[in-house]
Amino acid sequence: YFGWGGEDDELHHRLRLNGLLYGDCYPFCKKHDKNAGKTGISIRRPKKGHGRFSGKFMHSANHTKRITDSSAYAKNVKMLNEIASGSSRWKNDGLSNLQFRIIGEEVDETDKDVGIVYRHIRVHRGSEKFDVHAVKLAIPDTVCSSSLSAVPQKWSVQDLGPKIPWNLDQLRSRVASSMDEVGADCNPHHLNFVLID
């Protein structure tokens, strides 16, 4: 799928075609579907108009832009229609050698009353041993300086530890807290970072 859209529906149909969904078919039920309302593993969506969506990262540099190329969009729709009608394309395309390690998982039951549980899973690519808690955070002593030409005299290097900062606000707070421990007055809202992997 090129651009934005279709990949989530594709995943649903791949799971369905492999018999991995055996619960309620909503919202994909056909008329008189025997799986309507059935208990078991399923993928569900909120009713139309009741979905939850955050556009917080939608227009960030790392988010895939919406499709503006009508021929690419038409190709996406064609592929989706094929898989929805039972195409066997899934048997020989896609990722066949993806390797990853799960490094964190959160369960959000905010919409459990309507039968939806969100699972946020963080992974690290590759099969080699990786411990996200041991990733180094290097903080120069000039991080809180208002001078752009300040040259660091020393660095504080520490492991991320048990409480991982997963977003920019959490990372800013973490660094400001570390600087508070050494007596530096730091406004976390002005901090920027370089990620080296």
Side-chain angles (χ1 to χ4, degrees):
Y1 290 86
F2 177 81
W4 193 4
E7 71 283 353
D8 48 351
D9 297 285
E10 170 89 12
L11 178 60
H12 165 264
H13 289 298
R14 285 178 182 238
L15 293 171
R16 177 183 60 80
L17 290 167
N18 282 279
L20 297 173
L21 298 177
Y22 47 85
D24 192 353
C25 55
Y26 174 85
F28 303 99
C29 299
K30 305 236 183 319
K31 200 172 184 178
H32 307 297
D33 197 314
K34 63 183 172 96
N35 286 335
K38 186 178 174 187
T39 301
I41 294 175
S42 60
I43 295 177
R44 301 189 70 179
R45 289 180 175 166
K47 291 179 181 174
K48 201 168 192 175
H50 296 273
R52 192 174 73 168
F53 176 75
S54 168
K56 184 175 179 182
F57 303 107
M58 221 166 98
H59 301 292
S60 75
N62 294 326
H63 193 281
T64 305
K65 303 295 182 223
R66 284 190 179 272
I67 295 175
T68 55
D69 178 349
S70 60
S71 64
Y73 179 76
K75 183 179 177 188
N76 283 2
V77 170
K78 180 177 182 268
M79 288 181 6
L80 188 55
N81 288 335
E82 286 172 359
I83 196 87
S85 61
S87 165
S88 62
R89 174 175 47 82
W90 60 269
K91 293 180 179 178
N92 56 24
D93 79 348
L95 298 172
S96 61
N97 61 351
L98 177 65
Q99 294 182 342
F100 64 90
R101 296 173 63 86
I102 296 174
I103 58 174
E105 180 179 359
E106 294 172 21
V107 176
D108 176 355
E109 297 185 342
T110 306
D111 294 324
K112 190 173 184 178
D113 59 326
V114 292
I116 298 173
V117 175
Y118 304 96
R119 299 188 184 278
H120 305 277
I121 301 172
R122 293 179 178 89
V123 300
H124 185 269
R125 68 178 181 265
S127 59
E128 71 281 358
K129 186 172 176 157
F130 177 78
D131 181 7
V132 70
H133 303 95
V135 169
K136 302 296 182 198
L137 180 61
I139 309 169
D141 60 353
T142 55
V143 72
C144 298
S145 171
S146 58
S147 168
L148 294 175
S149 60
V151 177
Q153 300 301 310
K154 64 180 183 174
W155 291 75
S156 166
V157 179
Q158 52 190 261
D159 290 348
L160 284 182
K163 192 166 182 182
I164 307 298
W166 289 114
N167 62 43
L168 186 56
D169 289 335
Q170 291 173 356
L171 185 57
R172 285 177 168 157
S173 295
R174 169 71 181 277
V175 170
S177 173
S178 293
M179 296 314 291
D180 285 347
E181 290 173 11
V182 295
D185 185 27
C186 203
N187 180 349
H189 302 292
H190 299 294
L191 299 176
N192 292 303
F193 303 91
V194 174
L195 175 65
I196 301 171
D197 184 6

